[in-house]
Amino acid sequence: MSGEAQRNCRVVHRLTRRVRLLAPPLVRNAERCYILEILLRKRPEISEVRAVPDIGSLAIHYDPRRLPEQRLLAIVDGLLDNLIACPPAKPAAAVADDTPLQECSLAIEGMSCASCALLIELSLRRDPRVQVANVNFAAQTALVRGTLGRDDVFALIGRLGYRAQPIDTLAQRRLLVEREKEQLARAKKRVIVAAALTAPVMLLGMAMHRSPALRGLEFALATPVLFGPGREIFARAWQLAQQKSANMDSLIALGAGAAYLYSLPGLFRPQHHVYFEAAAGIVGFVLLGRFLEERAKGQASEAIRKLIELQAETAVVLRDGEEQVVPIDRVVVGDLLRLRPGDRIPADGLLVCGSSAVDEAMLSGESLPVSKKPGDTVHAGCLNGNGTFTLRVTAVGANTVLAGIVRLVDHAQGSKLPVQKLADRISARFVPAVGGIAALTLGGWLLARAHPATALAHAIAVLLIACPCALGLATPTAIMVGTGEAARRGIYIRNGEALETASSLTTVVFDKTGTITEGKPAVTDFIAVEGVDEANLLARLAGAEAGSEHFLARAIAAWCLARGAEPAACSDFEAIPGRGVRAHCQGLPMLIGNAALLDEAGVSCSAQQPQAAAFAEQGKTPVFVAVDGRIAALLAIADQPRQGAREAIASLRRLGIETVMATGDLAAVAQHIVRQVGIERVIARATPAMKLELIRELQQQGKRVGMIGDGINDAPALTAADVGLAIGGGADIALEAADITLAGGDIARVALTIQLSRQTMRIIRQNLFWALGYNVVAIPIAAAGRLNPMVASAAMAFSSVSVVANSLRLQRG
C-alpha cells in the first residue's frame, strides 16, 4: 500500500527501518502529535517516533519483520481518524474561546541560569492557552504561541519573579541592548564589591583563628556580600520557594545561607566552627562566573546586535513641504523620506526621485554598491552612497526586511535540537535530585560520626558543584554563535533542525538556471522559418512570454522588446512545467518551448533538430516556436555558470558530498554545464515532478539530501529534501520558504553552510560531553568530602564559562 492510498497521511521518505509521513491533520497541532506519539510508542514493534507539528511530519522507526509498512500505515491512518473525530482535550473555557492564535516574542530579564529558562518554559506550557513556548537562556528571549495575549504572557512570567520586555520593533530591541550593557556594568560593579569584601574574609578564614574580634570582622565583611551584591540570588530563591519551585539560585542560596547561619553561633562560642569565608566565597565566585558568562553571551549574540544596530534611530520626513527629523517609530507607510550621502536607510521603500549607489551587503553579502534609480526598491539598514534621493515608505517596524532577517536569526537561535530536549529533561530532574544527594551526603557523614560542621560543608559542596548551567548552555550558545556567524556570511538558517541536518548531508542536488548559472540568460541566435513575418512573430513572442516568470521567458521577452516589438494581445496563457508555454495570440494557437512540448502537440520540428543539437553542444538552450500548428522559428539562449561555481563544487567534493544537477534543459546543454563546473551526475529534461522523484529516490538509498534551487519551480523538491537551500536576494531572504536561504546567489555558501553546521554540531557534542562529564565526576568527589564549598563554587562558575568560551570558537572557524 503506497503513501498515496492513505486518507490522512502520505509517505515522503522511506528507509528499511524508518518511514517519514506528512499528515495534514497534525499540522500545527501539538496536542494531536503528542497523543499520536504516545499511542504509537506503546507498540513493541515501534522503537522511536518523532513528530514535527509545524509541518505535520511524523518519523517512525520500526521493525518491518514484525510490523510491515502496509500494516503500520493502516494503524497510523486509523489513529488519525480517531484523533480527528475527538474534540480537543482542553478546558471548556479554552475551547469556547475564539481568540486567534498569536505569536509573542519577548526578552526576559532576571534569568541567572539555565534552570530559570526551564522553569519559565515549563510554567508557560502548563497554561492550556499556550501551544508552543521556547525560552532561550543564552539569548535571554522567549517565543510563545497560543490564544493568550501579550499582557497575559507578561503576567505569567512576572509571577515567577522575572521581567518580560517586548521586542517587536528594532527600536525596542535597541533599548534592550542598551539595558543589557547597563546590566553588564552593574554585574561588574557587584563582582568588584564582592571581591573587595570577600578577599579579607577568606584570608582570615585560612588563618583558622578563634579570636572573637576577628570573627566579628568576618561577620561584618561577609554579611554585606550576601545581602548586598548577592541579594538578588536570595530574593529569587525565596520567590521560587513561595511558588514551590526551585532552580540554581535555590541551590546557591541554600548552600551559602546554610554556611552563614551555621556560623552565627561561633560569634559567641569560640569552640564552634565558622564558615563566613565559605558563605562569602560562594556568592563571590558565583557572581564572578555570571559576570564572565554574561560577557561571553554578549559575544555569542553579536550577530543579532550588529543587525539591530543597522536600524536608523531617526528619519528625515517630508511633511507639508518641510523636512522634519523624527524618531523612527513615528514613520508610517506612505511617508516621503529624504536620504543624503552616508545616511542609513530607515525604512523599506521605493525611490520616487534622485539616484544613488546603495551598499546592500547586509542582504546580499556583496560588498559592491548597487545603483538605484526611481522605481527601484531600497531596504532599511542599507547604507546610502554618494547620492541624494527621496523614497516613499512601503514598510516600517516589524514589517521591514531587516526586521524579518532579525526575526529569522532569532527563530533559529531560539529553536531546540533533539539533543537539547534531552538536556532539558535532564535539567528538569536535576535540582531535586541534587537536593536529595546533598541530604544523603549530610546524613551519611553524620552516620559516619563526622563533625556536624564537616558533614554540612560536604553537603554544601554537593549543592554548589552540581550546577546544571553548563548543561543548559551547551546547545543554545553553540546555536547562537553558529547561526549568527552564518548570518554574518549571508547564510540565513530558519531553525535548529536545519542546522543539525545540514551537518549530515551526503548529497546535494542543484537546479541549473539561476543556481549553477547566473540566471541571466540572453537570446544569442534567432532563425525564422522561411516565409514567416519576423516582426509579427516577435510581437506574438513578446505577448506570449510576458505572462511567464521563467528565466528563459523573460530573456525572450526582453530580446523582443529590445528590437522594437509591440507585445501582441494574448489569451489562454498556460505555463507547462519543464516544457514551455502555450497561448493564443491574435487568435492563433502558439507554442514556445522545447521539442517535447511540440512533440506532444503533434508539431514536427525535425528540420530544425540538427541546428538545435548544434546549439546544445555549444551550451545553448534551443527554444522552438510554433504558430497555428506549424514550426515558425528556432531560438538559442545561453546562460553562463556563476563565477566561482567550479570552486564551489570542488569544495563540496572535498567535504565528501556527492553533487547532482537536475535541469529541465536538454542533455547536451546540461552536459556542457556540468563539464564546466565539475558536477558528477546530471539529470536532464527534468520536470518539477521528476526532481521531486529524484530527491525521494536518493533518500530511499539512505542518503541525506540537500536541494538547492530558486525556490519557485523547485518548491516541491526543496520541501521534500532533508534540507532545502534557496538562492535568495534582497527581500526574498525574509520570505523564502526553504530551510536555509543563501543571499546573493553565491553557491560557494553551500559548502560553507555544511562546514559551519558540522563545526556547530561538533562544538555542541563537546559541550554536552564536558557538561555531563563534569557533573558525573564532580558530584561523587564532593560527596566524598574532597571539595570544600569555595572550590566547588569556583568550579561551578568555571564550567559555565568554559562551555560559552568553547562555543565562541565558532567565530574563529
Side-chain angles (χ1 to χ4, degrees), residues 117 121 134-143 167 173 180 296-308 404-417 420 424 472-488 491-499 739 760 764 808 810-811:
E121 191 171 289
N134 286 326
V135 179
N136 187 329
F137 169 56
Q140 300 281 292
T141 59
L143 174 69
I167 52 173
R173 285 175 171 273
E180 285 171 12
K297 284 195 300 182
Q299 295 174 39
S301 59
E302 186 179 0
I304 282 280
R305 294 173 191 271
K306 286 185 176 179
L307 285 170
I308 292 168
I405 292 174
V406 171
R407 201 157 46 243
L408 193 85
V409 178
D410 243 355
H411 273 259
Q413 294 184 344
S415 59
K416 293 193 175 182
L417 307 184
Q420 172 63 16
D424 283 350
L473 286 168
T475 299
T477 51
I479 293 177
M480 281 180 65
V481 180
T483 54
E485 187 67 9
R488 189 178 68 80
I491 303 164
Y492 297 97
I493 301 171
R494 289 199 164 272
N495 53 65
E497 283 204 3
L499 180 71
D739 301 309
T760 302
I764 287 172
L808 288 172
L810 285 165
Q811 292 180 339

Side-chain angles (χ1 to χ4, degrees), residues 447-794:
L447 288 173
R449 300 181 182 276
H451 192 282
T454 302
L456 180 64
H458 297 336
I460 291 171
V462 170
L463 289 173
L464 296 172
I465 199 70
C467 174
C469 294
L471 189 62
L473 286 168
T475 299
T477 51
I479 293 177
M480 281 180 65
V481 180
T483 54
E485 187 67 9
R488 189 178 68 80
R489 302 187 191 192
I491 303 164
Y492 297 97
I493 301 171
R494 289 199 164 272
N495 53 65
E497 283 204 3
L499 180 71
E500 181 178 17
T501 307
S503 67
S504 59
L505 290 180
T506 59
T507 304
V508 174
V509 178
F510 290 87
D511 175 44
K512 179 180 79 70
T513 307
T515 304
I516 293 292
T517 61
E518 290 284 355
K520 299 175 183 176
V523 176
T524 57
D525 300 270
F526 176 78
I527 304 171
V529 172
E530 190 175 345
V532 169
D533 182 343
E534 287 192 20
N536 182 262
L537 181 61
L538 292 184
R540 293 172 186 267
L541 270 172
E545 296 289 33
S548 175
E549 287 298 315
H550 196 277
F551 290 103
L552 300 185
R554 290 202 297 266
I556 294 171
W559 182 79
C560 293
L561 294 174
R563 277 148 188 77
E566 190 70 32
C570 293
S571 61
D572 301 328
F573 173 84
E574 181 188 1
I576 299 96
R579 296 284 190 267
V581 299
R582 180 185 291 121
H584 274 75
C585 292
Q586 297 176 338
L588 295 176
M590 190 170 185
L591 296 171
I592 310 165
N594 55 27
L597 177 66
L598 272 67
D599 288 343
E600 288 173 0
V603 178
S604 174
C605 54
S606 55
Q608 284 72 32
Q609 284 291 7
Q611 184 60 59
F615 285 151
E617 288 293 335
Q618 299 165 26
K620 300 174 182 178
T621 301
V623 178
F624 297 89
V625 182
V627 178
D628 197 21
R630 291 189 295 274
I631 190 74
L634 173 67
L635 298 92
I637 300 176
D639 188 12
Q640 296 303 310
R642 288 183 182 273
Q643 188 175 5
R646 187 173 186 84
E647 291 76 13
I649 301 302
S651 297
L652 285 171
R653 296 183 71 173
R654 283 194 295 272
L655 291 172
I657 305 293
E658 176 191 9
T659 53
V660 181
M661 187 178 80
T663 175
D665 238 327
L666 294 175
V669 177
Q671 289 291 350
H672 180 81
I673 294 294
V674 298
R675 282 195 298 269
Q676 286 184 282
V677 300
I679 285 179
E680 302 163 63
R681 178 184 172 193
V682 62
I683 309 296
R685 301 187 75 166
T687 63
M690 291 170 64
K691 292 179 183 178
L692 176 60
E693 188 57 37
L694 170 66
I695 298 294
R696 291 177 175 169
E697 177 189 319
L698 291 168
Q699 289 172 331
Q700 286 171 5
Q701 295 169 12
K703 297 176 180 178
R704 301 300 291 271
V705 185
M707 170 72 194
I708 174 168
D710 58 24
I712 301 170
N713 258 357
D714 304 309
L718 284 169
T719 303
D722 294 292
V723 177
L725 302 102
I727 293 290
D732 294 338
I733 293 168
L735 303 174
E736 186 59 62
D739 301 309
I740 299 173
T741 303
L742 310 178
D746 184 1
I747 61 171
R749 292 188 173 115
V750 180
L752 184 57
T753 300
I754 295 172
Q755 283 178 307
L756 269 173
S757 64
R758 288 181 179 179
Q759 290 168 2
T760 302
M761 293 308 300
R762 185 162 59 247
I763 290 290
I764 287 172
R765 285 191 289 270
Q766 290 171 0
N767 286 350
L768 288 172
F769 173 80
W770 289 113
L772 287 168
Y774 163 83
N775 283 299
V776 167
V777 172
I779 291 176
I781 292 175
R786 301 297 181 180
L787 286 177
N788 69 49
M790 283 189 296
V791 173
S793 179

Side-chain angles (χ1 to χ4, degrees), residues 186-273:
R186 285 198 298 271
K188 184 178 180 180
K189 184 178 178 180
R190 283 196 296 268
V191 168
I192 292 171
V193 171
L197 295 172
T198 301
V201 178
M202 292 177 68
L203 288 173
L204 289 170
M206 290 176 189
M208 301 183 70
H209 62 84
R210 292 184 180 271
S211 166
L214 292 179
R215 286 188 173 185
L217 179 59
E218 285 187 53
F219 168 77
L221 292 173
T223 300
V225 173
L226 268 69
F227 305 109
R231 182 179 64 252
E232 289 183 6
I233 295 172
F234 288 92
R236 191 167 296 113
W238 174 246
Q239 232 170 356
L240 291 172
Q242 291 176 312
Q243 299 277 337
K244 297 182 179 179
S245 298
N247 70 355
M248 194 57 208
D249 283 329
S250 307
L251 298 182
I252 295 165
L254 189 59
Y260 180 81
L261 292 173
Y262 180 85
S263 303
L264 292 178
L267 294 172
F268 312 103
R269 297 166 55 194
Q271 71 274 18
H272 189 87
H273 289 278

